[in-house]
Amino acid sequence: MNDLLESEFGMHLREMAKHARAIALSGLLVGLALLAYQLTRPDEYRSTAAVRLVVDDQLADDGSITAFQTQSLAETALAADMLNAAAERAGITPDADSLRDRIDVEVRSTPGYLDVATTGPTAAGTAELANAMAAVLIDRVELDASSAATRSASLVDPADPADAEPTMTTTQALTQAIALGLLAAIVVGEGLVAWRLLRGRFSPIDPGVELQRLLGAPVIDLRDGRPLLPYYLDGLSSRPTLTVLQAGTRPSADLALRLARTSGEVHRRVLLVDGDTGRPVMHTALGEAQSPGLAEVAQGSQPMRAVVRPATPDMRAAVLTAGHRNHDHGTAAELLPTLQRVVGEVGADQVIVSVTQASSTDEILRATHAFPDAVVLAIDPSVLGVNDVRRLIDMVRSVKANIVGGVITRPTIEGMAL
């Protein structure tokens, strides 16, 4: 289980690495855009004034009373009347809504202390507003007749324009740009993976892992020139009959031919059969004539010995092509019993039945039902998605066929000598 999780995580990282250019470019663009915005926006400054509130000694305060009184004062600081009073003291136009964005009153952890922080376009104006707000708070304490005898407030640290700090420095802008750029890169990378999953496509890194999970059978990826012989010997050589179902948009019998070659090289008497009873294609790949073949045997115009012939001079395998089907004499479905009889009588060590996308769905299912013992499913992950393959697997299994292996191919297996 841990190995599976590590494999999936590793595939996930490698898939994101495959999109490294897009991810890096998106992060760079977002980071540069934020940095340009931060550096070109108008300067803002921040000033802070400190106010201290003290309660009467007769209250025997252990700090809790002072803390409560300070918190109460902070909670009323941003009321509209308080903000308007601060604006008048600072000589600016009263606007409670805009001032709430510029003023922040916080309670220190030390009981009795308040920090009045303000922001603005100039250092002098920001400091003046902070001192004005502090004065309003002090006035509120002094004018509260009910508590005047028990508490008092004073300005202990006035705001100074010389101490005003810019709200955004170049270092801070660069740090934020880098952080947001990294976040954007991660989001884009994960988004690309999520988009591939939503489209139901196989992983571009190792589609064989996903196909093996769907099939529950061993899978080999032949696109990188990997040898077929070890895979064949491990799970396919002992099968009397192999049905090779090569799915995709372009019919191809290349895998069946390569399996027949591999089987013949091992020591076998191999019969290669064209299972596309509707629109055969295997004879084209072999450079053979389509007839005579299975259709002629079924029609009674040719004996079995006349239609089973060597595949190619350099391949130790016999071939049975589909032949020319006479539409007035039998149907594609009626050819399959003849094919089963021929396969049973020919006495081969292994029969390889080629079924491709040239056949209709019904014809494919009839062929896999006629030879259900060992089906090898070959797919091109750039053409078929996960959902397509899942539906195909369900259909094959619905006719009681046993899928024993999977092969990752291209529409035609380029660069492979037959």
Side-chain angles (χ1 to χ4, degrees):
M1 184 65 177
N2 289 336
D3 291 341
L4 178 60
L5 292 175
E6 290 175 5
S7 174
E8 291 180 349
F9 182 66
M11 286 175 56
H12 185 81
L13 292 181
R14 284 186 288 157
E15 183 172 350
M16 292 184 67
K18 185 179 180 66
H19 302 292
R21 289 186 179 179
I23 292 172
L25 182 60
S26 61
L28 181 62
L29 291 178
V30 171
L32 289 177
L34 177 62
L35 182 61
Y37 169 74
Q38 296 285 26
L39 295 179
T40 57
R41 65 184 298 189
D43 292 335
E44 279 201 342
Y45 295 88
R46 181 181 179 88
S47 292
T48 304
V51 175
R52 183 186 181 192
L53 185 144
V54 180
V55 300
D56 197 295
D57 292 340
Q58 294 179 357
L59 296 178
D61 181 26
D62 61 354
S64 59
I65 297 176
T66 300
F68 175 77
Q69 297 285 356
T70 306
Q71 183 65 43
S72 299
L73 182 61
E75 290 173 355
T76 62
L78 299 184
D81 59 331
M82 302 280 282
L83 294 173
N84 290 334
E88 291 178 2
R89 280 180 175 271
I92 61 178
T93 302
D95 186 349
D97 291 334
S98 64
L99 287 178
R100 283 192 182 91
D101 296 332
R102 295 181 56 190
I103 299 176
D104 186 22
V105 179
E106 297 181 353
V107 179
R108 287 189 189 177
S109 57
T110 304
Y113 284 88
L114 284 172
D115 285 330
V116 180
T118 57
T119 58
T122 65
T126 303
E128 186 176 357
L129 180 59
N131 290 331
M133 188 70 233
V136 170
L137 293 175
I138 294 170
D139 289 347
R140 173 55 63 91
V141 173
E142 293 177 350
L143 292 175
D144 188 351
S146 63
S147 60
T150 58
R151 64 180 183 175
S152 61
S154 60
L155 182 62
V156 295
D157 188 6
D160 187 341
D163 297 331
E165 298 178 350
T167 57
M168 180 62 63
T169 64
T170 302
T171 300
Q172 290 173 324
L174 182 60
T175 301
Q176 289 187 8
I178 293 174
L180 188 62
L182 290 174
L183 179 61
I186 293 173
V187 170
V188 169
E190 295 293 346
L192 290 172
V193 175
W195 176 242
R196 190 265 301 171
L197 293 174
L198 287 174
R199 292 172 59 214
R201 309 304 298 177
F202 280 94
S203 167
I205 302 303
D206 194 350
V209 172
E210 292 181 86
L211 181 59
Q212 184 167 330
R213 189 181 298 115
L214 292 174
L215 296 178
V219 172
I220 184 173
D221 191 339
L222 295 180
R223 296 174 303 171
D224 57 0
R226 191 176 306 179
L228 181 61
L229 181 60
Y231 180 78
Y232 172 80
L233 292 175
D234 187 49
L236 304 181
S237 61
S238 62
R239 307 283 183 174
T241 304
L242 281 179
T243 303
V244 181
L245 172 54
Q246 189 154 345
T249 56
R250 181 178 177 182
S252 172
D254 290 348
L255 179 61
L257 268 63
R258 188 174 179 189
L259 280 170
R261 175 183 290 281
T262 303
S263 179
E265 289 174 349
V266 171
H267 57 67
R268 324 270 315 185
R269 290 179 301 167
V270 184
L271 175 63
L272 179 60
V273 176
D274 193 341
D276 290 321
T277 54
R279 187 161 57 94
V281 297
M282 190 180 71
H283 64 281
T284 302
L286 284 169
E288 291 276 353
Q290 183 175 343
S291 292
L294 176 65
E296 283 74 15
V297 175
Q299 294 162 13
S301 60
Q302 291 284 347
M304 182 184 69
R305 291 184 178 181
V307 299
V308 177
R309 55 190 185 273
T312 62
D314 62 341
M315 183 187 297
R316 288 186 290 179
V319 62
L320 174 60
T321 58
H324 281 300
R325 178 164 59 89
N326 184 348
H327 292 277
D328 297 328
H329 185 89
T331 65
E334 293 172 341
L335 293 178
L336 289 174
T338 303
L339 179 57
Q340 289 174 303
R341 177 174 60 81
V342 170
V343 167
E345 293 176 359
V346 78
D349 293 318
Q350 187 171 59
V351 176
I352 297 177
V353 181
S354 173
V355 183
T356 74
Q357 204 66 26
S359 297
S360 67
T361 301
D362 286 344
E363 290 167 345
I364 290 173
L365 294 180
R366 288 193 188 102
T368 52
H369 179 65
F371 301 97
D373 295 338
V375 176
V376 178
L377 178 61
I379 70 159
D380 171 24
S382 67
V383 174
L384 295 181
V386 175
N387 294 333
D388 300 323
V389 173
R390 185 178 287 115
R391 285 192 292 269
L392 180 59
I393 292 171
D394 290 341
M395 286 192 297
V396 170
R397 287 174 175 166
S398 70
V399 296
K400 310 303 181 183
N402 180 33
I403 300 177
V404 298
V407 179
I408 303 290
T409 70
R410 293 185 176 89
T412 56
I413 306 178
E414 300 173 357
M416 296 180 180
L418 298 177

